[in-house]
Structures are given as C-alpha cells and as structure tokens.
Amino acid sequence: MSSDLIIDVSPSEIVIALLENRRLVEISREKSGAKFAVGDIYLGKVKKIMPSLNAAFVDVGYEKDAFLHYLDLGPQFATLNKFLRIASSNSNKVNSISRIQSEPDIDKEGKIVDLLKVGQKILVQVAKEPIGTKGPRLTSEISIAGRNMVLMPFSEKISISQKIKSNEEKIRLKKLIQSIRPKKYGVIVRTAAEDKKVAELDQELNRLVAKWDTSFAKLKRINKPTLIIGEMDRTTSILRDIYHTNFNSIIVNDQTVADEIADYLDSIDPEKKKIVKLYRGRQPVFEHFGIDKQIKASFGKTVSFKNGAYLIIEHTEAFHAIDVNSGNRAKTGLDQESNALDVNLAACDEIARQLRLRDMGGIIVIDFIDMHQAANRHKVYEYMKEVMGADRTKHNILPLSKFCLMQITRQRVRPEEHIETAEVCPMCKGSGKVVPTVLFADELGSKVNYILKDLNKTKISLTVHPYVAAFLTKGFRSPQIKWFRKYFKWVKIKSNNAYTFLEYHFMDENQEEIIV
C-alpha cells in the first residue's frame, strides 16, 4: 500500500490530507495559533473540587476550566507533586528526577479531596482537546511521545506495543530498553521501534529525557497557568505517528513547512528526505490532486461506495448511527443472503475509512443488512476488525447481534471533522428565487470596472467555477477580451472546482482578496 501526504498551508490554517493508494482516508486541520493539542503539558491551578464527581476543575489558561478526574491522576501522582514542589523552589539544586525519592503510589479507591485543594499548582497533560462547550480533559500521568517510544517520567514500567507480533523481538526490545533506560523513567515501546538498532533508540531516549529536564528551569520562573512542554506542531506530530517506509511523497505548498518536514525526516530516516516536494502549481494543491472532489463525495449524510450501495450517516448527541443500504446493487446468481453478505463486506471498507476521515469518536452503531446465518455475521465481524487494523485510534468492536447491529467504541481526543458538502445557492441564499442568470456576467463586469477604475488596481485575478471560467475566457468576443479592450488591463481568470456555481473572488497582485 502506497501513502501520500498532501499539505495545504494558508495564513489561517494548515490542512493535512493522507492518501492511501490515492484514496483520501484522513484529513486534519490546524488553525493558526490553535491551543491545547493532545500531549501538551501545562502548569495548572486547581479552581474547584467536585467531591461528588471525585474530580477537579483546573485552570490551564483556557476560557473554560479543564476537567481532571481522580482516576487520571496516575499512580505516581504523589511523586509528581513532590517534583513540582522541588522544581518550583528557589533553593532547588536537583537537576534530575533520578535524585528525587519516590513516594508510595496513590490509592486507586482514594478521594480527590485528600490529594488536591483549591489554589494548588499541579502539572497536567491534555488528554482530550476542547470539544463543543467542554474544556480540555486532563491527566497527571505525564508522557512524552517520540517516534519509536513514549517516555513516562516517575514510572519504572516497560511496555511493548501489542502490534509487534514476534515474541523474540519483544524480548529483544525489552532487554535493550532496560539496559539504556535512566532511573525513574518508564518507557512504552511503539510499533515503529521494531527492528531498530540500540544506537537509534538510545539517541531518541536521551532526546526525550532532555526535553523533560528542561521543565526544571521553566518551573522556577512561573507562577500562573501556562504551557510547560508543547507538542510539536500538528503536521510533524501526525507525520511522527503515521510515517512508514511505504510513503511515496509528502507534498507541501509552503517552503517553510516543507523545510521543517524535511529536517524531521532527516532525523528519523535520512534516505526518505527526498520525498518531501514543494508544490508550485497554479491550481490550489488540493484541487490539483483531486482532494477537493473526494471531500465533496465523502462527507455529508449519504455516502456511496460500490455499485449503487450507500451509507446513511447520522450524528446525534449520544452516538453516531450508520445505516447500510444495498440500493440497486444486486449480483445475478446470488441469493438474498449472499448478496447481503457481499454488500456488508464492501460496507466495512467504507465505514472504516469514514471513521478515520471524519475522526468519529464515542459510540458508533452500524445497522448492516440482515443476514440470517451466524457464520455470515461472524465473517462481517472478523472483516471489520481486519480493516480497522489500520486505524491508529484506540477502538473496540463488538460482534453483530442477531438483528445485524454492530457497536464500535472509538476514542475521541479532538472535535470530529465536519465539512458541509451541501451548497446554498449563492444567488437566492436559500430562498428558491434568483435574479436572471444572464445578468451575472454584467455583475462581474461592474465589479471589474470598479476595481480597475475606482480602486486603480493594475493586476487582478478572478477565481470562479470552471463552467463560469469557460464562459468568461472562450472566444474572441469573451468578456475577458472585452475587458482588456476597454481598460487595457488583463484580468486573469482562474477556475476552482471547490467553488459553488456562481461563487467568485477577486485577488490583487499580492494574492489578497479584494472585497467589492
């Protein structure tokens, strides 16, 4: 399977699209100046204790206080708290947590009122980004993720990824980590560490420990809630988690971001640095690679997959519901049971893709086409587990019920990706009545007149739907030629498939939009 990463960088956001065999499977957006990414470590301040919930609300600088449950404090919370007191002290001369005496693990059945009080400073990590009206979800079980491993300060445990199948490799990695792990640090070995040499793992481990050690110096000078250790930017963190040797290309339309990614690849796989390519085309990068079209086809209530079959996807407050429909799909020579099995297996592929693409979390209920044979229901269950194997997000799949309902739980750590694909008519604004379309070219002409004469612009471009672009540019009597003869200035016409039919935007020579 080949993978490609297409990255669209704009002043307001970075949009990252992952393609597998040229098919869009994941899309992620990072707003400029976005806060509270999963993995960020903050110095927080306890604002409110909720004994009935056995939880606390913590100020980390967000408009709404973040939520911290007792079970998310972590076994080594007492030791972490001791570290914070020592690190914040002006007389602190300790430069490594290995010199801090460990405290006993906290009681699993304990009460949060016994450990926290209002106004107390506390080290926390973002476990879930703000979703809807809720603030961030926090944990005090601190971890720092790398490409091959996750560092767990104050823990002594070594865990190996269950996705590494070879027992010999698991034993090798455990012995290797035991030999290089500093005291008071636990390590979770990720799947990417399989077959890696000791030198590479040791180098990454030292880098993660050094990143944690920098918090000592920061904590001395800080009294208010603030970021202590930030996750890397979304682009590089996604690359860290999904990168593998089958990547064909990483295409970026921004030189700075391309350089950052190339530098990161150089540190983990120097031979693959050359797959980073800067896109210089005239079309928007997503339009050039057909991503805009895939987005339009993949989001929305109804999603088609094979031979007329389709999914209906509904989102409620409590869960997501997916209904599988055969449509006009029917293979000749197959009975109803076999045809239902065929459609349901094909639906599994699209459902697995939709869960990743929309980043749907929580409870997902799938209503498959009825199958009466238990063996066929088991085939669908096993195949769904297989196709969901590529999903990095933690999930749990239950077997189909006798009514062919399947339940999936999928971890939610950030807001679901929602893209509105239905287009409101730009002329009627949803009223159902429009001005005569023959006047549209006249409307554009009056805008051009105002920009070129009243605003005295010399170079402008007009981006419209491809059908409108064809009307404006084709022939010797086209509006574009008429404008040139009238103003002796050339209006560059661009097309964009993502635009609605009568949508248009004027841009000046600096690619800033002209509002008219």
Side-chain angles (χ1 to χ4, degrees):
M1 178 180 64
S2 63
S3 299
D4 300 277
L5 206 63
I6 315 296
I7 303 172
D8 181 16
V9 181
S10 67
S12 60
E13 65 179 358
I14 297 177
V15 187
I16 304 155
L18 173 64
L19 278 65
E20 291 179 354
N21 295 331
R22 305 199 171 201
R23 196 162 172 244
L24 181 65
V25 294
E26 288 186 28
I27 188 164
S28 178
R29 298 172 185 273
E30 180 182 16
K31 297 287 185 183
S32 297
K35 295 182 178 180
F36 304 103
V38 172
D40 285 348
I41 299 173
Y42 282 84
L43 176 66
K45 186 177 182 180
V46 178
K47 292 294 291 294
K48 187 186 295 184
I49 305 290
M50 303 292 290
S52 59
L53 299 176
N54 205 17
F57 286 98
V58 181
D59 177 14
V60 289
Y62 189 64
E63 57 189 75
K64 291 185 177 293
D65 292 334
F67 183 79
L68 176 65
H69 194 272
Y70 180 86
L71 295 177
D72 293 322
L73 291 177
Q76 293 85 32
F77 178 75
T79 307
L80 176 67
N81 227 12
K82 183 178 181 180
F83 158 77
L84 179 58
R85 289 196 305 270
I86 294 173
S88 303
S89 170
N90 291 327
S91 59
N92 167 40
K93 295 182 180 179
V94 177
N95 57 11
S96 172
I97 67 171
S98 61
R99 298 175 61 184
I100 296 176
Q101 186 68 34
S102 295
E103 297 292 319
D105 289 356
I106 65 173
D107 183 6
K108 291 182 180 179
E109 305 296 328
K111 303 295 183 183
I112 201 161
V113 292
D114 297 329
L115 296 175
L116 296 180
K117 60 183 180 181
V118 174
Q120 178 179 339
K121 292 194 295 184
I122 181 174
L123 272 180
V124 288
Q125 187 167 28
V126 177
K128 289 184 180 180
E129 293 178 10
I131 298 175
T133 58
K134 299 177 181 178
R137 177 79 182 252
L138 304 177
T139 176
S140 278
E141 199 163 9
I142 306 296
S143 64
I144 304 176
R147 166 72 179 156
N148 299 300
M149 66 188 75
V150 178
L151 186 71
M152 306 281 289
F154 308 109
S155 172
E156 297 285 347
K157 187 167 63 174
I158 299 175
S159 302
I160 309 295
S161 168
Q162 295 299 316
K163 291 185 179 181
I164 298 177
K165 302 301 182 185
S166 169
N167 286 328
E168 291 81 5
E169 179 63 8
K170 287 182 178 180
I171 293 170
R172 182 189 78 90
L173 287 170
K174 191 160 189 175
K175 288 182 177 178
L176 192 156
I177 296 299
Q178 282 175 336
S179 67
I180 63 175
R181 175 183 63 89
K183 290 182 179 180
K184 304 290 176 67
Y185 287 102
V187 175
I188 300 173
V189 180
R190 307 182 74 175
T191 311
E194 191 169 11
D195 299 325
K196 290 292 193 301
K197 295 180 180 178
V198 61
E200 184 175 348
L201 297 178
D202 185 52
Q203 183 181 26
E204 179 169 305
L205 182 59
N206 290 333
R207 187 166 61 248
L208 294 176
V209 171
K211 187 175 182 179
W212 170 254
D213 284 343
T214 58
S215 62
F216 273 95
K218 286 185 178 181
L219 289 170
K220 280 186 181 179
R221 304 187 299 269
I222 296 173
N223 289 314
K224 63 179 182 179
T226 190
L227 178 68
I228 300 296
I229 300 177
E231 256 285 14
M232 58 181 69
D233 60 84
R234 179 70 60 84
T235 308
T236 313
S237 63
I238 287 177
L239 189 62
R240 177 193 67 198
D241 294 337
I242 68 175
Y243 174 77
H244 52 76
T245 53
N246 291 333
F247 260 61
N248 283 343
S249 60
I250 300 172
I251 299 167
V252 193
N253 64 349
D254 181 85
Q255 184 68 63
T256 303
V257 176
D259 291 341
E260 289 174 358
I261 293 173
D263 290 342
Y264 177 71
L265 278 184
D266 191 40
S267 67
I268 63 171
D269 193 352
E271 293 182 1
K272 282 287 189 174
K273 184 179 179 180
K274 60 186 178 183
I275 70 172
V276 182
K277 300 171 184 175
L278 180 65
Y279 175 74
R280 301 179 183 273
R282 293 184 177 181
Q283 284 183 308
V285 63
F286 274 15
E287 183 180 359
H288 179 79
F289 290 99
I291 295 171
D292 280 333
K293 186 176 181 180
Q294 289 197 53
I295 290 173
K296 293 282 186 181
S298 300
F299 286 84
K301 182 177 178 179
T302 304
V303 178
S304 299
F305 50 103
K306 286 186 178 179
N307 298 340
Y310 61 94
L311 306 175
I312 300 292
I313 303 177
E314 297 273 11
H315 307 280
T316 72
E317 190 69 25
F319 59 89
H320 307 279
I322 301 177
D323 184 31
V324 180
N325 294 274
S326 60
N328 58 8
R329 177 190 174 104
K331 285 192 174 181
T332 56
L334 294 181
D335 56 28
Q336 182 178 355
E337 181 79 7
S338 300
N339 192 64
L341 174 62
D342 190 52
V343 174
N344 287 338
L345 290 175
C348 288
D349 285 306
E350 185 59 31
I351 291 169
R353 172 177 175 255
Q354 286 292 326
L355 296 185
R356 293 174 66 189
L357 190 58
R358 302 181 187 221
D359 203 8
M360 293 163 63
I363 300 172
I364 300 104
V365 178
I366 305 166
D367 181 11
F368 284 102
I369 299 172
D370 285 346
M371 297 176 294
H372 301 293
Q373 296 179 20
N376 288 337
R377 295 197 293 269
H378 186 69
K379 284 181 183 178
V380 172
Y381 169 62
E382 290 297 327
Y383 188 63
M384 179 60 86
K385 289 199 297 183
E386 179 184 335
V387 295
M388 286 287 287
D391 193 341
R392 304 186 313 277
T393 303
K394 291 180 182 177
H395 59 271
N396 186 36
I397 305 172
L398 297 182
L400 277 75
S401 70
K402 63 182 293 185
F403 303 111
C404 279
L405 293 176
M406 175 185 284
Q407 296 179 64
I408 298 176
T409 59
R410 190 172 183 272
Q411 185 180 32
R412 172 162 39 190
V413 296
R414 56 180 57 92
E416 176 190 346
E417 185 67 38
H418 177 73
I419 297 174
E420 184 60 61
T421 57
E423 298 175 352
V424 176
C425 173
M427 299 301 292
C428 75
K429 308 300 182 186
S431 68
K433 296 181 179 181
V434 299
V435 297
T437 53
V438 294
L439 300 180
F440 182 59
D442 293 340
E443 179 184 345
L444 291 178
S446 66
K447 304 286 186 184
V448 169
N449 180 76
Y450 173 73
I451 293 170
L452 296 181
K453 294 191 71 176
D454 295 1
L455 299 183
N456 200 28
K457 298 286 185 178
T458 56
K459 292 182 180 180
I460 65 170
S461 63
L462 170 62
T463 306
V464 290
H465 188 277
Y467 289 168
V468 178
F471 170 76
L472 294 176
T473 58
K474 301 302 180 184
F476 291 107
R477 299 177 61 83
S478 68
Q480 187 183 39
I481 297 295
K482 290 179 181 179
W483 295 338
F484 179 73
R485 289 173 177 167
K486 183 176 181 180
Y487 305 110
F488 298 103
K489 295 176 183 177
W490 188 252
V491 179
K492 188 175 183 179
I493 308 294
K494 299 179 179 180
S495 65
N496 191 327
N497 281 317
Y499 279 22
T500 56
F501 187 64
L502 297 180
E503 181 181 359
Y504 62 89
H505 295 277
F506 287 97
M507 311 293 285
D508 63 17
E509 63 271 17
N510 298 318
Q511 293 305 301
E512 295 181 358
E513 185 170 1
I514 304 170
I515 306 299
V516 288

